[in-house]
Each structure stands twice: as C-alpha cells, then as structure tokens.
C-alpha cells in the first residue's frame, strides 16, 4: 500500500492544470446506459473511481474503453440488470446505475451501498423518487430491486438536497412517459453537466442548476461526444494549498463561476485571488485571517472543501468556527490535525479552530478522500516530514495530486508503505 511523504516548508509557485471532475464523470458515464451506440467522453480523470465505474458498466454488458482521458461507452449490448455487492461496495456512486437501468430495462437489482466513513448516507430519496415515477421497490438481502411496466412522469419533492439522488431521478425521468418536475433539486454544477449531456443525447430537461428541474420524457436517446467539466474541488484544493504556503499559483482550466464560495472565503482569509477567464491566480499572504465557514448545498461552501479549508484555518491568526451541515461525521481528519499540533475543539457539527504558529510533521492516517487531501496540505506547511497513510482514498478522486504539487515545487513523493 502506498503512502505519501511531504517535507513541509516549500512555497508553491507555478502553473497547474485542473483535471476533469470525478463527480461529473461518474453520473455521465452511467448515463451512457440510457442509449445504444458509442458515446465518447473526453477530459475524464484517471482515477480509481472511474475504473470502478467502467468495471461496473462492463459487468452490465456495456463495451467500455479508456485511452488516456478519453472513454468510450457503448451500452448497445446491455444484458444484465444486476449491480452486485462486490462492485458496488468499492464505490457508493455505483448507485447511479439504478435510475438508468430501470429506465432502460424496466428492472434493476442493485446492491445497497451502505454507509461510509463520513456518514450513514441513506438512499431513501432515490428510492422514493423512483416509486413516484411508478417503479415498484423491494429491499431484500442487501439489494434494491426495482421494476416497472413503464416509468411515468411525476412531481417529486426532495426532502433534502441530494446530488446523486437528483442525478439518478433525472436519468430515470428522461425516458419516462410525460412530464416530471423535481423540486428542491440539487443545483451543483455536476447536476447541470449531466443535464447538458442528457440534452445532447436528445433528452428534454429544463432548469438544471436551479431547485426546479422540468423533464419532458422522450422515447429514446442517441449517443454523443462530450467533455467532462473541470473539477471544482480539485481546483479549490490547489488554490487552498497556494494560500497556505504563501505561494503564487495559477490554476488553469478552472471554472471560476463554480468556485464562488471558495474564492470568497479565500479572499476573506486575506488571500489574493485574481480571475482571468479560466485561470485563477492565487497569491498567499500573511497573516492568514480566521474566517467562519458553514458547509451548504451549492452555491454554498462545499462540504468537499471543508477539510482542506480547515487546514488553512489551523495556521490563521485568531479563531473561527467551521460547521458541517451536510454529513454527520465529516470531522475525522480533526484528530489527525490535532496530532500535528492544530488547536481544534469539536462540539456536535462545529469545530472551533484557534490558529497556531506552526504545524508539526507526523505520521497520519487518511480516512476518506477529502481528508487525505487535507493531510497532504497540512504536510506542506508542517515542519519536518508528514507521512500520509491509506493513500488509496486519495487515488479514488485526485488525479496525480502529488505530481501536481511536485511541479509547483513541493517536496512530496509517493513511497511503498
Ligand atoms: N441523503 C439522505 N437520503 C438520500 C440521499 C441523501 O438522507 O436518499 C442525505 C445524506 O445522508 C447527506 C445529504 O443528504 O446527509 C447530502 O447527500 P447527497 O446525496 O447530496 O450526497 P451524495 O450524492 O451521496 C455527492 C458527492 C459527494 C459530496 C456530496 C455533497 C458524488 C459521487 N458524490 O454525494 O462527494 O460530498 O454529494 O455535495 O457526486 C467526494 O467527492 O469526496 C464526495 C463525498
């Protein structure tokens, strides 16, 4: 198993390219199940979660091929409606095949994904949405079984904002008979990116990116070529690293309009952020100011940036409160940051952070994807060496992050544990 070794104290300087967005690519790859023929997707990040998705799609009978950042998926040979436990347990987002399978085959049997380190993560809203579209849902032996004669458009109100829930129901509704209205839908850019791809395939979706999405069902979709949008969370992670190390970094290929909350908070922390088209220049300044943050559905501050921003606050002047409102257990990185000398007290879903003069390098353990990025960021400013273990979490969702940091001048390398 790999680990990452970071020798802190180097300013990050230079230009870095953002990869394609994992959380846009996953639903978009699943959407290829909705039509016959070869779909081509470019700018797909090379990640373990992408490999897991392609394995699952291949299991279902789709022909998948990945050459560099280009992926072809042809679901003409779709012949199985079952997503087995062994494939789903590797990645919760496998649940994204449920909507397309029901829409296309009128039945699906998908292993329940279960919880993960950051929370219980139920899928009740996905299932309720499918029921309202006319699917019969049974849960047995750890599987969801869904079946229908034909899905019919419906009015669906989501009790909570759910990103993959909105995506799953949107994918089911595009082939349903009649009109579906999704209310309190997720507004995340990844939802809009999926809707754009589905519309290109011939779907009729309006309002994606707002809380009300209207979908007029169509008989069938056709294959397309599309590029995956850039990863706003990776961009935000690189920007925060630049701010943290007093660096001067140009983040290239970013979509700044998707990063407004992060840019706003970085500026309040005293960081100079200049946007020029799809380039964002970030110049870290001292002192770093303490800034309160509350995670919220988009366009609020993303939960996927909470751990990374917390590192910046650990070395800020003063104290601040970071509140996590999306997941009930997304502070697991705190105890590792404390081991590196951070002063953080957690009460319920809030963390009180008092800035310290410096962090101290230590062996630490990553517990999930964003926590692993957070620990690497902490290592960039800690004294001595930080050893981040369980790096497989990082490889699920960041493409060659340590190589990107090396290019910017960090003393970071991967080693066998
Ligand atoms: N929820 C329910 N019932 C449901 C669905 C969600 O109660 O049926 C709750 C969840 O437990 C959570 C909240 O609603 O408390 C929001 O969860 P959501 O469904 O939006 O999360 P998700 O769709 O499972 C996606 C991303 C996550 C990201 C969240 C929030 C993908 C593949 N994953 O998860 O990404 O944190 O939205 O923005 O898009 C990551 O990339 O590190 C990551 C965890």
């Amino acid at each position: 198993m790999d680990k990452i070794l970071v020798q802190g104290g180097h300013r990050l300087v230079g230009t870095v390219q953002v990869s394609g967005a994992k959380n846009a690519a996953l639903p978009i790859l699943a959407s290829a199940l909705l039509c016959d023929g070869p779909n081509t997707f470019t700018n797909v990040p090379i990640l373990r979660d992408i490999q897991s998705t392609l394995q699952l799609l291949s299991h279902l009978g789709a022909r998948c091929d990945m050459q560099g950042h280009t992926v072809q998926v042809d679901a003409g040979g779709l012949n199985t409606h079952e997503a087995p436990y062994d494939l789903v347990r590797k990645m919760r987002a496998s649940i994204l095949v449920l909507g397309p399978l029901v829409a296309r085959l009128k039945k699906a049997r998908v292993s329940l994904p279960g919880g993960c380190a950051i929370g219980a993560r139920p899928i009740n809203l996905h299932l309720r949405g499918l029921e309202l579209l006319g699917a019969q849902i049974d849960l047995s032996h750890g599987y969801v079984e869904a079946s229908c004669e034909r899905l019919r458009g419906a009015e669906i109100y989501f009790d909570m904002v759910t990103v993959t829930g909105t995506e799953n129901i949107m994918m089911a509704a595009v082939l349903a008979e009649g009109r579906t209205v999704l209310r309190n839908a997720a507004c995340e850019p990844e939802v809009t990116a999926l809707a754009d791809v589905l519309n290109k395939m011939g779907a009729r979706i309006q309002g994606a990116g707002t809380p009300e999405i209207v979908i007029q069902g169509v008989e069938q979709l056709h294959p397309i070529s599309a590029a995956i949008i850039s990863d706003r969370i990776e961009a935000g992670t690189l920007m925060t690293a630049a701010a943290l190390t007093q660096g001067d970094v140009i983040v290239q290929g970013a979509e700044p309009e998707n990063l407004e909350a992060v840019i706003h908070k970085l500026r309040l922390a005293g960081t100079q952020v200049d946007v020029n088209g799809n380039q964002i220049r970030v110049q870290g300044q001292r002192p770093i100011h303490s800034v309160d943050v509350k995670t919220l559905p988009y366009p609020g501050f993303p939960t996927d940036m909470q751990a990374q921003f917390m590192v910046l606050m650990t070395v800020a002047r003063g104290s601040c409160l970071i509140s996590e409102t999306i997941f009930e257990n997304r502070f697991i990185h705190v105890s590792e940051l404390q081991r590196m000398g951070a002063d953080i007290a957690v009460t319920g879903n809030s963390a009180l952070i008092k800035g310290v003069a410096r962090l101290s390098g230590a062996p630490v353990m990553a517990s999930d994807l964003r926590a692993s990025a957070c620990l690497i960021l902490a290592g960039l400013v800690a004294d001595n060496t930080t050893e981040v273990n369980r790096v497989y979490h990082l490889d699920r969702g960041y493409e060659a992050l340590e190589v990107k940091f090396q290019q910017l001048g960090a003393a970071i390398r991967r080693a066998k544990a």
Side-chain angles (χ1 to χ4, degrees):
M1 212 180 286
D2 290 354
K3 60 186 176 184
I4 301 256
L5 299 169
V6 196
Q7 180 76 45
H10 297 265
R11 274 184 84 215
L12 299 185
V13 178
T15 299
V16 62
Q17 179 68 33
V18 185
S19 296
K22 167 183 81 86
N23 289 346
L26 298 178
I28 287 173
L29 291 174
S31 76
L33 294 174
L34 289 163
C35 62
D36 280 348
N39 290 282
T40 304
F41 303 114
T42 54
N43 199 35
V44 179
I46 300 174
L47 301 170
R48 268 207 351 182
D49 275 6
I50 297 295
Q51 286 166 2
S52 304
T53 301
L54 296 180
Q55 247 185 316
L56 175 57
L57 298 182
S58 303
H59 169 87
L60 296 170
R63 274 216 318 268
C64 302
D65 178 52
M66 184 163 192
Q67 303 287 339
H69 293 96
T70 301
V71 172
Q72 278 215 346
V73 183
D74 182 342
L78 191 63
N79 55 21
T80 310
H81 67 282
E82 177 165 328
Y85 177 65
D86 267 358
L87 292 175
V88 175
R89 76 184 163 87
K90 288 188 194 162
M91 188 188 60
R92 296 194 81 268
S94 303
I95 196 64
L96 285 165
V97 301
L98 180 62
L101 283 178
V102 183
R104 187 73 199 286
L105 299 177
K106 316 280 178 258
K107 58 181 179 178
R109 184 166 191 267
V110 178
S111 172
L112 284 162
C116 77
I118 62 176
R121 305 184 74 177
I123 55 158
N124 56 311
L125 302 173
H126 302 226
L127 303 184
R128 178 82 186 122
L130 282 177
E131 270 176 345
L132 289 168
L133 290 176
Q136 186 182 329
I137 306 283
D138 291 306
L139 299 182
S140 60
H141 309 297
Y143 277 77
V144 182
E145 297 201 27
S147 58
C148 63
E149 292 288 315
R150 168 130 205 226
L151 294 176
R152 284 182 211 291
E155 306 237 336
I156 298 170
Y157 173 81
F158 290 102
D159 286 338
M160 289 176 76
V161 174
T162 163
V163 177
T164 51
T166 302
E167 292 165 348
N168 233 340
I169 301 310
M170 195 161 76
M171 288 191 280
V174 288
L175 292 181
E177 191 182 323
R179 183 172 181 265
T180 297
V181 183
L182 307 183
R183 299 217 165 80
N184 199 25
C187 302
E188 267 67 2
E190 294 76 18
V191 173
T192 311
L194 173 64
D196 289 345
V197 163
L198 292 168
N199 281 339
K200 210 170 173 187
M201 287 175 172
R204 290 174 60 198
I205 304 171
Q206 284 183 328
T210 77
E212 184 169 301
I213 302 179
V214 180
I215 303 154
Q216 188 65 45
V218 296
E219 283 299 321
Q220 61 175 29
L221 301 181
H222 56 80
I224 52 135
S225 293
I228 303 297
I229 60 168
S230 73
D231 195 317
R232 64 193 168 102
I233 304 301
E234 187 204 9
T237 303
L238 295 165
M239 289 160 64
T240 306
L244 189 62
T245 61
Q246 245 179 308
D248 183 355
V249 171
I250 294 175
V251 178
Q252 203 156 265
E255 287 166 59
E257 63 280 14
N258 296 341
L259 277 155
E260 276 175 10
V262 174
I263 292 173
H264 176 66
K265 290 294 176 181
L266 283 174
R267 284 184 176 147
L268 286 178
T271 307
Q272 169 98 24
V273 183
D274 297 295
V275 174
N276 181 7
N278 67 354
Q279 291 192 342
I280 306 176
R281 181 174 180 186
V282 181
Q283 296 172 84
Q285 315 282 331
R286 286 292 183 274
I288 297 166
H289 305 300
S290 287
V291 185
D292 291 342
V293 167
K294 186 180 198 175
T295 64
L296 287 171
Y298 189 84
F301 190 91
T303 173
D304 291 343
M305 277 299 301
Q306 179 255 108
Q308 302 89 311
F309 199 83
M310 185 181 286
V311 180
L312 186 65
M313 294 298 100
T314 63
V315 291
R317 180 185 282 176
S319 50
C320 67
L321 210 55
I322 294 189
S323 310
E324 171 59 54
T325 75
I326 308 292
F327 291 112
E328 65 272 23
N329 196 26
R330 213 172 197 184
F331 281 144
I332 321 172
H333 47 279
V334 167
S335 51
E336 298 303 275
L337 291 176
Q338 285 166 335
R339 295 184 54 252
M340 296 179 72
D343 184 344
I344 308 172
V346 173
T347 312
N349 72 344
S350 294
L352 174 65
I353 300 143
K354 294 183 184 153
V356 294
R358 62 177 188 88
L359 296 177
S360 151
V364 286
M365 199 78 92
S367 51
D368 70 84
L369 171 58
R370 307 305 170 187
S372 54
C374 135
L375 296 173
I376 290 175
L377 260 52
L380 292 174
V381 285
D383 62 13
N384 292 321
T385 303
T386 296
E387 179 185 306
V388 183
N389 292 287
R390 296 201 185 148
V391 173
Y392 54 86
H393 290 296
L394 186 79
D395 296 334
R396 290 188 52 182
Y398 283 95
E399 181 173 324
L401 188 62
E402 80 276 16
V403 177
K404 293 188 182 188
F405 281 145
Q406 270 166 13
Q407 286 164 356
L408 295 173
I412 180 170
R413 69 184 171 87
R414 185 178 284 257
K416 293 275 167 229

